[in-house]
Amino acid sequence: GQNIDQPTEMTATEGAIVQINCTYQTSGFNGLFWYQQHAGEAPTFLSYNVLDGLEEKGRFSSFLSRSKGYSYLLLKELQMKDSASYLCAVRDTGGFKTIFGAGTRLFVKA
Amino acid sequence: GAVVSQHPSWVICKSGTSVKIECRSLDFQATTMFWYRQFPKQSLMLMATSNEGSKATYEQGVEKDKFLINHASLTLSTLTVTSAHPEDSSFYICSARGTESITGELFFGEGSRLTVL
């Protein structure tokens, strides 16, 4: 079966660093994505990992361990506008179907 | 990046009527589009994979006769919610894979919020 787990909510302070974890168990694996979604809007792409290791992209970094079925999204120098839901998603092999986790709602406080 | 446009953004209809939602890829050809549904404070649930020129592939538990999908061209896919009922009220989002991107991430339409009275 398909199962993607991530914390429901997190709170962090402006300027701080926050790490959002994601574990997955899927029948196939062809890449892991992180998307950001503000309330009432469509998701936007943040990062992609297909090989083990860390991918850095400005204030955002994402890590993947395929053997552990584990990923995290690291957000540095938090800003108020980073308050949003962060969705962990796994793409299946063949057909490129992408399955999403329930999302982590991040609240950034001053 | 690739642009996906969805219409309408908001729709309110009476129970028993049908509603059509359009999804267009504006600057690229999308042989495959994906339709998701999202209930409040929940994640995206994949409903079906829309393939240009062929029948859509529905996820388990999604009624194909209730959610009609047509992908008649490389830039347009439509989702029709037939005989809508209040429990069909949700946020429907289409997406397409970025064909020019190495990562092949999904580009999403703006979403369509359906309210069935």
Side-chain angles (χ1 to χ4, degrees), chain A residues 33-50:
Chain A
F33 298 82
W34 285 94
Y35 288 85
Q36 180 190 60
Q37 185 180 26
H38 286 97
E41 299 180 8
T44 54
F45 169 73
L46 287 178
S47 69
Y48 168 75
N49 296 73
V50 69

Side-chain angles (χ1 to χ4, degrees), chain A residues 36-97:
Chain A
Q36 180 190 60
Q37 185 180 26
H38 286 97
E41 299 180 8
T44 54
F45 169 73
L46 287 178
S47 69
Y48 168 75
N49 296 73
V50 69
L51 300 177
D52 290 351
L54 187 69
E55 293 287 338
E56 296 186 82
K57 200 175 177 183
R59 294 191 299 115
F60 298 85
S61 302
S62 57
F63 172 83
L64 174 67
S65 169
R66 289 171 296 170
S67 62
K68 295 181 179 179
Y70 168 71
S71 172
Y72 68 72
L73 177 70
L74 194 70
L75 293 79
K76 303 175 185 177
E77 301 171 14
L78 279 174
Q79 302 174 10
M80 300 298 286
K81 67 178 182 179
D82 296 328
S83 293
S85 286
Y86 291 86
L87 310 177
C88 175
V90 174
R91 185 169 62 195
D92 202 349
T93 51
F96 299 102
K97 188 166 67 174

Side-chain angles (χ1 to χ4, degrees), chain B residues 1-48:
Chain B
V3 180
V4 176
S5 179
Q6 196 171 333
H7 177 81
S9 300
W10 295 81
V11 58
I12 300 173
C13 69
K14 292 182 179 179
S15 185
T17 61
S18 294
V19 174
K20 179 185 284 189
I21 300 170
E22 294 187 347
C23 179
R24 296 180 184 274
S25 55
L26 297 185
D27 54 357
F28 68 103
Q29 293 182 333
T31 55
T32 303
M33 289 185 176
F34 303 92
W35 285 94
Y36 290 86
R37 179 169 55 181
Q38 185 175 37
F39 292 106
K41 297 186 179 180
Q42 296 186 24
S43 189
L44 302 168
M45 297 299 297
L46 181 64
M47 298 176 67

Side-chain angles (χ1 to χ4, degrees), chain A residues 11 25 64:
Chain A
T11 301
Q25 291 175 312
L64 174 67

